[in-house]
Amino acid sequence: MKTRAAVATAPQTDLEIRDVELDAPRADELQVRIVASGVCHTDAIVRDQWYPVPLPSVLGHEGAGIVEAVGSDVQGFKAGDKVVLGPAYCGRCEQCLAGHPMFCVNFYDRNFGGGRADGSKSFSDDSGEISSHFFGQSSFAEHTNVVASGAVKVPDDAPLDLLGPLGCGIMTGSGAVLNVLQPQPGSSVAVFGTGAVGMSGMLAAKAAGATTIIMVDIVPERLEFAKELGATHTVNSKETDPVEAIKEITGGGVEYALDTTGVPPVFAQMTKSLATRGHGALVGAAKLGTEAPFDIGTLLLSGIKISMVVEGDAVPQEFIPRLIALHAAGTFPFDKLTKSYAFEDINQAFADSANGTTLKPIIVF
């Protein structure tokens, strides 16, 4: 079928909106009309080839839409179902079977490989094939074929123009807190970075009952917004040593901490801000090969635990409905992080995300 898609063609170059051909969904796929798709930091770094996804490519991995066709082997979906799209995973490896599909041993190939497992691609135009199945979906298109196992059915009254980011950015921050750190009511949490992932982690910490929530960043406006959303303390790390500030606020160190930046010096600050036997998590994506300082001599005696977390270590079919329920109850107002853009303005959405004007852009088709 004919559709339109935003195609990444070269690093640090605007996406091109093109008329493309979409092939028929395979037996294990759904064909989905995309209603909206979030723009994530990962889209930008893949466009710029931090991760070597073959170009040209249709990116986008925070899609939400309506099922239009169902593959012959797919069960549980029908045309007209509303879905939020999560990452692809095999469902058969030891990590998937253990309930950790975001650590699927085939995760990289299935989400960054540029096509289906057999090498075929969904999109093409007069210039040839275009890489597809980015995170199992390639949602920067008006229509796309998605791996059915990554789709999450949502209620008929669900606001699809809002929910797409639950499939990655919002799930990453909130899942790192709720699924991995698991702060207890009355506990202390520090979050490094006030982007959409960090703010989602903060909202999750508040929903979990943490009573000391410290946000660390260098942008005063973001820190002020974090206070409006529920942070009890903020630290401008451009003006103040965040490790010393956190230790002063908490009386010795924070129980739980989250680094959403992927910046090596910030990661080091996060480890040093933890209390004895504290638990820290890293979710910020860095270039492959990036190394960070880690003082094993000093930290050995602290007994701290550090977790590396992909996609919030979530099971999307369980976790996304939970986030929707929390939002409906008013305890997880992630909508306050978003701003909508027309499809034709997708490159402006990328620019606004990069310069911090918008925390979580959502492309509405």
Side-chain angles (χ1 to χ4, degrees):
M1 67 176 293
K2 295 288 187 183
T3 192
R4 292 196 305 160
V7 181
T9 60
Q12 299 178 338
T13 301
D14 283 352
L15 306 185
E16 298 177 4
I17 296 179
R18 298 182 183 178
D19 293 320
V20 299
E21 188 74 27
L22 176 68
D23 68 3
R26 298 292 176 87
D28 62 345
E29 294 179 343
L30 303 172
Q31 192 162 93
V32 176
R33 176 173 66 82
I34 299 296
V35 172
S37 179
V39 174
C40 180
H41 176 62
T42 305
D43 294 308
I45 65 175
V46 169
R47 175 201 63 189
D48 295 341
Q49 294 289 279
W50 286 25
Y51 298 165
V53 173
L55 300 179
S57 178
V58 178
L59 303 178
H61 63 287
E62 293 184 344
I66 299 172
V67 175
E68 293 200 336
V70 180
S72 59
D73 292 345
V74 176
Q75 297 181 347
F77 293 93
K78 64 182 185 303
D81 283 344
K82 289 186 172 183
V83 290
V84 173
L85 307 177
Y89 52 91
C90 74
R92 297 183 297 275
C93 71
E94 59 269 27
Q95 295 301 325
C96 288
L97 294 175
H100 300 281
M102 300 301 96
F103 288 97
C104 173
V105 298
N106 301 301
F107 190 90
Y108 194 92
D109 289 343
R110 288 180 175 265
N111 292 282
F112 297 93
R116 300 182 176 98
D118 65 3
S120 64
K121 305 179 190 303
S122 282
F123 297 106
S124 62
D125 64 6
D126 292 340
S127 63
E129 290 187 325
I130 301 170
S131 291
S132 63
H133 290 76
F134 183 59
F135 277 76
Q137 56 183 277
S138 288
S139 57
F140 289 158
E142 293 176 333
H143 299 81
T144 190
N145 295 328
V146 308
V147 179
S149 60
V152 180
K153 192 186 301 185
V154 297
D156 289 341
D157 61 353
L160 292 180
D161 57 346
L162 174 65
L163 297 183
L166 295 183
C168 183
I170 306 299
M171 179 169 72
T172 294
S174 60
V177 171
L178 297 176
N179 297 332
V180 179
L181 295 178
Q182 299 181 345
Q184 299 300 304
S187 61
S188 59
V189 178
V191 178
F192 291 76
T194 59
V197 175
M199 292 292 202
S200 298
M202 183 206 71
L203 292 175
K206 183 179 178 184
T211 50
T212 301
I213 303 175
I214 307 163
M215 298 298 290
V216 182
D217 206 298
I218 61 173
V219 182
E221 295 81 7
R222 289 271 192 94
L223 293 170
E224 189 60 35
F225 185 45
K227 277 190 173 181
E228 295 175 15
L229 292 179
T232 59
H233 301 78
T234 60
V235 176
N236 188 325
S237 56
K238 200 171 186 178
E239 302 173 350
T240 304
D241 181 342
V243 176
E244 294 303 318
I246 289 170
K247 287 184 175 181
E248 182 176 350
I249 292 166
T250 58
V254 69
E255 293 168 273
Y256 306 95
L258 178 65
D259 175 18
T260 69
T261 71
V263 176
V266 177
F267 174 77
Q269 291 169 346
M270 186 266 286
T271 65
K272 294 175 182 178
S273 72
L274 288 164
T276 300
R277 299 188 70 245
H279 188 179
L282 171 70
V283 298
K287 285 186 177 181
L288 299 178
T290 300
E291 297 183 357
F294 198 87
D295 182 359
I296 60 174
T298 302
L299 294 178
L300 174 64
L301 299 177
S302 70
I304 66 169
K305 176 181 178 181
I306 303 296
S307 297
M308 304 297 177
V309 185
V310 175
E311 297 288 353
D313 195 11
V315 178
Q317 288 75 9
E318 179 275 331
F319 193 61
I320 288 174
R322 186 146 56 107
L323 293 181
I324 293 173
L326 287 172
H327 178 261
T331 55
F332 188 68
F334 73 91
D335 55 289
K336 295 182 180 179
L337 310 178
T338 69
K339 179 181 177 180
S340 297
Y341 294 76
F343 184 33
E344 290 72 19
D345 296 327
I346 189 169
N347 290 304
Q348 187 62 53
F350 268 77
D352 289 352
S353 176
N355 65 30
T357 302
T358 302
L359 286 174
K360 175 53 66 175
I362 298 178
I363 307 302
V364 179
F365 292 83

